[in-house]
């Protein structure tokens, strides 16, 4: 029993050495700057969770959070792909077209020529069957983006 308690204490001490990596971003990381104990880390994480500031910070790039740059607007992307499945399939198979250009723009793709060529080369994996959903298409595209 003493051995288990020693291990738990050592893990608690080790986790306090890496304070901010445990609590993430959000209001808790701003208000509780010195997170050198487990109690302060728990308080920071609880503050992040109860205020919803971590979710807001991630989507807005505030509160010590980095805004993801892969898909700036997941809602717009999902709606676009869902509404244009057939046209997008034709454009990806051709490696060019208006819907493919719009897709690249929505995804903030820097090198659209390479992006289009890569999607064209992997068309059969993106549109793997006749019943593929827009969510499956987006997931497959993300692998090749």
């Amino acid at each position: 029993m003493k051995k288990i308690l020693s291990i738990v204490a050592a893990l608690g001490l080790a986790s306090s050495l890496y304070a901010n990596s445990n609590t993430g971003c959000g209001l808790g990381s701003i208000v509780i700057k010195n997170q050198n104990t487990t109690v302060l880390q728990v308080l920071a994480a609880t503050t992040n969770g109860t205020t919803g500031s971590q979710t807001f910070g991630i989507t807005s790039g505030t509160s010590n959070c980095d805004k993801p740059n892969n898909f700036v607007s997941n809602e717009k992307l999902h709606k676009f792909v869902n509404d244009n499945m057939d046209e997008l399939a034709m454009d990806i198979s051709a490696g060019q077209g208006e819907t493919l250009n719009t897709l690249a723009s929505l995804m903030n793709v820097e090198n659209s020529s390479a992006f289009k060529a890569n999607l064209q080369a992997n068309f059969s994996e993106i549109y793997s069957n006749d019943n593929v959903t827009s969510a499956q298409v987006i997931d497959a595209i993300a692998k090749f983006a």
Side-chain angles (χ1 to χ4, degrees):
M1 185 64 159
K2 285 183 182 182
K3 199 175 206 179
I4 292 173
L5 289 175
S6 297
I7 292 171
V8 170
L11 289 174
L13 177 62
S15 69
S16 69
L17 295 174
Y18 302 100
N20 287 330
S21 65
N22 290 337
T23 60
C25 60
L27 183 62
S29 70
I30 294 171
V31 174
I32 304 166
K33 294 183 191 276
N34 186 11
Q35 300 173 17
N36 59 358
T37 67
T38 303
V39 172
L40 290 175
Q41 288 181 25
V42 169
L43 185 59
T46 302
T47 302
N48 290 341
T50 57
T51 62
S53 64
Q54 192 167 33
T55 304
F56 175 76
I58 291 169
T59 57
S60 66
T62 60
S63 303
N64 290 338
C65 298
D66 293 327
K67 187 174 183 179
N69 57 9
N70 285 347
F71 302 130
V72 172
S73 176
N74 282 329
E75 244 179 81
K76 284 183 182 178
L77 179 67
H78 284 276
K79 181 164 178 29
F80 176 77
V81 172
N82 189 53
D83 292 348
N84 297 285
M85 286 284 284
D86 294 335
E87 294 87 355
L88 187 59
M90 291 188 317
D91 284 1
I92 290 175
S93 69
Q96 62 183 352
E98 186 178 333
T99 56
L100 192 52
N101 291 339
T102 304
L103 177 72
S105 176
L106 285 172
M107 294 178 64
N108 292 328
V109 173
E110 291 179 20
N111 186 347
S112 64
S113 297
F115 172 73
K116 293 173 190 177
N118 199 19
L119 294 186
Q120 183 182 24
N122 293 289
F123 175 81
S124 62
E125 291 183 53
I126 296 169
Y127 282 87
S128 55
N129 62 61
D130 291 339
N131 298 320
V132 69
T133 65
S134 60
Q136 291 168 327
V137 168
I138 291 170
D139 288 344
I141 288 172
K143 286 192 274 185
F144 303 113

